[in-house]
mmCIF file of all heavy atoms in Angstrom:
data_model
loop_
_atom_site.group_PDB
_atom_site.id
_atom_site.type_symbol
_atom_site.label_atom_id
_atom_site.label_comp_id
_atom_site.label_asym_id
_atom_site.label_seq_id
_atom_site.Cartn_x
_atom_site.Cartn_y
_atom_site.Cartn_z
ATOM 1 N N THR B 661 46.630 10.659 45.739
ATOM 2 C CA THR B 661 47.571 10.149 46.747
ATOM 3 C C THR B 661 48.598 11.236 47.046
ATOM 4 O O THR B 661 49.174 11.819 46.129
ATOM 5 C CB THR B 661 48.283 8.884 46.218
ATOM 6 O OG1 THR B 661 47.291 7.920 45.865
ATOM 7 C CG2 THR B 661 49.229 8.294 47.256
ATOM 8 N N PRO B 662 48.843 11.540 48.334
ATOM 9 C CA PRO B 662 49.757 12.639 48.661
ATOM 10 C C PRO B 662 51.232 12.257 48.465
ATOM 11 O O PRO B 662 51.579 11.075 48.360
ATOM 12 C CB PRO B 662 49.484 12.923 50.140
ATOM 13 C CG PRO B 662 48.327 12.074 50.526
ATOM 14 C CD PRO B 662 48.196 10.982 49.522
ATOM 15 N N LEU B 663 52.024 13.294 48.447
ATOM 16 C CA LEU B 663 53.471 13.148 48.313
ATOM 17 C C LEU B 663 54.018 12.152 49.347
ATOM 18 O O LEU B 663 53.659 12.226 50.518
ATOM 19 C CB LEU B 663 54.123 14.526 48.528
ATOM 20 C CG LEU B 663 55.642 14.630 48.337
ATOM 21 C CD1 LEU B 663 56.023 14.426 46.878
ATOM 22 C CD2 LEU B 663 56.149 15.984 48.838
ATOM 23 N N TYR B 664 54.851 11.252 48.891
ATOM 24 C CA TYR B 664 55.595 10.272 49.703
ATOM 25 C C TYR B 664 54.754 9.139 50.300
ATOM 26 O O TYR B 664 55.296 8.246 50.951
ATOM 27 C CB TYR B 664 56.390 10.950 50.835
ATOM 28 C CG TYR B 664 57.444 11.903 50.324
ATOM 29 C CD1 TYR B 664 57.759 13.076 51.027
ATOM 30 C CD2 TYR B 664 58.134 11.644 49.144
ATOM 31 C CE1 TYR B 664 58.730 13.963 50.556
ATOM 32 C CE2 TYR B 664 59.092 12.524 48.662
ATOM 33 C CZ TYR B 664 59.383 13.678 49.368
ATOM 34 O OH TYR B 664 60.327 14.550 48.889
ATOM 35 N N ALA B 665 53.428 9.162 50.082
ATOM 36 C CA ALA B 665 52.628 8.070 50.650
ATOM 37 C C ALA B 665 52.921 6.783 49.883
ATOM 38 O O ALA B 665 53.020 6.769 48.657
ATOM 39 C CB ALA B 665 51.145 8.404 50.567
ATOM 40 N N SER B 666 53.055 5.704 50.636
ATOM 41 C CA SER B 666 53.322 4.410 50.028
ATOM 42 C C SER B 666 51.994 3.741 49.661
ATOM 43 O O SER B 666 51.033 3.761 50.428
ATOM 44 C CB SER B 666 54.092 3.568 51.046
ATOM 45 O OG SER B 666 54.034 2.222 50.682
ATOM 46 N N THR B 667 51.943 3.196 48.440
ATOM 47 C CA THR B 667 50.755 2.436 48.000
ATOM 48 C C THR B 667 51.256 1.198 47.266
ATOM 49 O O THR B 667 52.473 1.052 47.054
ATOM 50 C CB THR B 667 49.879 3.250 47.021
ATOM 51 O OG1 THR B 667 50.584 3.368 45.770
ATOM 52 C CG2 THR B 667 49.527 4.626 47.548
ATOM 53 N N GLY B 668 50.333 0.360 46.831
ATOM 54 C CA GLY B 668 50.713 -0.842 46.095
ATOM 55 C C GLY B 668 51.493 -0.537 44.826
ATOM 56 O O GLY B 668 52.352 -1.310 44.406
ATOM 57 N N SER B 669 51.225 0.593 44.203
ATOM 58 C CA SER B 669 51.944 0.925 42.974
ATOM 59 C C SER B 669 53.027 1.984 43.195
ATOM 60 O O SER B 669 53.736 2.352 42.261
ATOM 61 C CB SER B 669 50.963 1.384 41.889
ATOM 62 O OG SER B 669 50.156 2.431 42.370
ATOM 63 N N THR B 670 53.138 2.473 44.438
ATOM 64 C CA THR B 670 54.255 3.371 44.797
ATOM 65 C C THR B 670 54.843 2.865 46.119
ATOM 66 O O THR B 670 54.761 3.539 47.149
ATOM 67 C CB THR B 670 53.787 4.836 44.982
ATOM 68 O OG1 THR B 670 52.723 4.861 45.955
ATOM 69 C CG2 THR B 670 53.295 5.451 43.698
ATOM 70 N N PRO B 671 55.395 1.657 46.095
ATOM 71 C CA PRO B 671 55.828 1.052 47.372
ATOM 72 C C PRO B 671 56.871 1.883 48.108
ATOM 73 O O PRO B 671 56.898 1.903 49.337
ATOM 74 C CB PRO B 671 56.383 -0.308 46.947
ATOM 75 C CG PRO B 671 56.491 -0.293 45.470
ATOM 76 C CD PRO B 671 55.599 0.773 44.949
ATOM 77 N N ALA B 672 57.708 2.612 47.355
ATOM 78 C CA ALA B 672 58.729 3.423 48.023
ATOM 79 C C ALA B 672 58.224 4.830 48.336
ATOM 80 O O ALA B 672 58.975 5.690 48.771
ATOM 81 C CB ALA B 672 59.973 3.495 47.143
ATOM 82 N N GLY B 673 56.959 5.060 48.100
ATOM 83 C CA GLY B 673 56.394 6.392 48.344
ATOM 84 C C GLY B 673 56.172 7.127 47.034
ATOM 85 O O GLY B 673 56.978 7.036 46.116
#
Side-chain angles (χ1 to χ4, degrees):
Chain B
T661 303
L663 184 68
Y664 298 146
S666 163
T667 70
S669 54
T670 55

